[in-house]
Amino acid sequence: EAGVTQFPSHSVIEKGQTVTLRCDPISGHDNLYWYRRVMGKEIKFLLHFVKESKQDESGMPNNRFLAERTGGTYSTLKVQPAELEDSGVYFCASSRMDSNNDEQFFGPGTRLTVL
Amino acid sequence: QKEVEQNSGPLSVPEGAIASLNCTYSDRGSQSFFWYRQYSGKSPELIMFIYSNGDKEDGRFTAQLNKASQYVSLLIRDSQPSDSATYLCAVSPQGSNYKLTFGKGTLLTVNP
């Protein structure tokens, strides 16, 4: 079983530019989550999809961030325009819909650097 | 603000010793508790979860939960150099079994 994959692994952009991160969850996992870790801080929840629907986006920092999951498969997270404080590692995780223990499988993350 | 607190470490133990990792949380209604291991530059990997008060053992790992004290711990017996990693405590807040709140993690080093 392939794990959660994320692309790109690293991205370096300048302030004001746009970046799109992609996450491919484990096949058959209806739950998809985005998390972020900024330097020196803990991993923080951004949002949660159930299939193509946003279940909870309470962790999204502001309206410069837009997440989509068209068709309920892969998801994208767009940052537009990027600011310096958006730098960090963006993790995607997925889990089964019927999981009793809600085991979330994490991807390797995308390291975003905004200059 | 719901918080999860961990000692950042580093925690250094000799090979073969017991490593004890601790975590406290502020949301008394938290339902589920997880320990993730993260090697440098890699993804967090779930190693233990616990829902009920008491101990839960899986191989060399034992998770301990005390909801009254809002405390969860992870014991690693017979520590190996390959256990050297950052250990992340994560909690599902009350009413939200899907949203994880993480601590900053404890860096564990097992010395050969």
Side-chain angles (χ1 to χ4, degrees), chain B residues 63-93:
Chain B
Q64 299 174 317
L65 174 62
N66 184 327
K67 290 186 177 181
S69 300
Q70 295 175 240
Y71 174 89
V72 58
S73 67
L74 179 70
L75 300 178
I76 306 174
R77 291 181 299 281
D78 187 23
S79 295
Q80 301 297 309
S82 58
D83 294 327
S84 298
T86 295
Y87 288 80
L88 303 168
C89 175
V91 174
S92 285

Side-chain angles (χ1 to χ4, degrees), chain A residues 82-109:
Chain A
E83 298 289 345
L84 299 179
E85 63 265 25
D86 301 333
S87 296
V89 181
Y90 290 76
F91 291 103
C92 176
S94 70
S95 70
R96 297 182 192 280
M97 192 64 193
D98 60 354
S99 171
N100 290 323
N101 60 23
D102 191 37
E103 178 176 358
Q104 296 185 25
F105 296 85
F106 280 76

Side-chain angles (χ1 to χ4, degrees), chain A residues 15 36 38 62 64-65 82-88 90 114:
Chain A
K15 176 182 172 181
R36 177 176 75 169
V38 298
N62 50 61
R64 295 185 294 103
F65 289 76
E83 298 289 345
L84 299 179
E85 63 265 25
D86 301 333
S87 296
Y90 290 76
V114 182

Side-chain angles (χ1 to χ4, degrees), chain A residues 1-71:
Chain A
E1 178 179 78
V4 177
T5 58
Q6 293 186 244
F7 181 83
S9 57
H10 294 82
S11 181
V12 181
I13 61 172
E14 293 188 350
K15 176 182 172 181
Q17 290 186 321
T18 297
V19 63
T20 299
L21 313 180
R22 173 171 170 143
C23 167
D24 287 80
I26 293 172
S27 178
H29 282 195
D30 288 331
N31 292 300
L32 186 148
Y33 317 82
W34 283 98
Y35 292 86
R36 177 176 75 169
R37 184 170 195 164
V38 298
M39 187 178 295
K41 301 285 189 179
E42 67 276 15
I43 297 172
K44 285 196 171 180
F45 170 85
L46 296 179
L47 87 159
H48 168 217
F49 283 100
V50 176
K51 297 184 180 179
E52 68 276 7
S53 299
K54 292 178 185 175
Q55 186 77 12
D56 181 352
E57 51 184 332
S58 61
M60 295 287 264
N62 50 61
N63 59 11
R64 295 185 294 103
F65 289 76
L66 175 64
E68 294 180 323
R69 193 183 182 194
T70 305

Side-chain angles (χ1 to χ4, degrees), chain B residues 22-59:
Chain B
N22 305 313
C23 172
T24 58
Y25 57 94
S26 63
D27 182 0
R28 183 169 291 278
S30 296
Q31 305 287 341
S32 309
F33 307 86
F34 304 86
W35 282 100
Y36 283 82
R37 177 178 63 199
Q38 187 178 23
Y39 294 111
S40 181
K42 302 295 184 182
S43 56
E45 174 193 10
L46 181 68
I47 53 173
M48 289 286 288
F49 61 88
I50 186 167
Y51 300 148
S52 304
N53 278 329
D55 294 359
K56 179 181 179 182
E57 185 174 321
D58 183 0

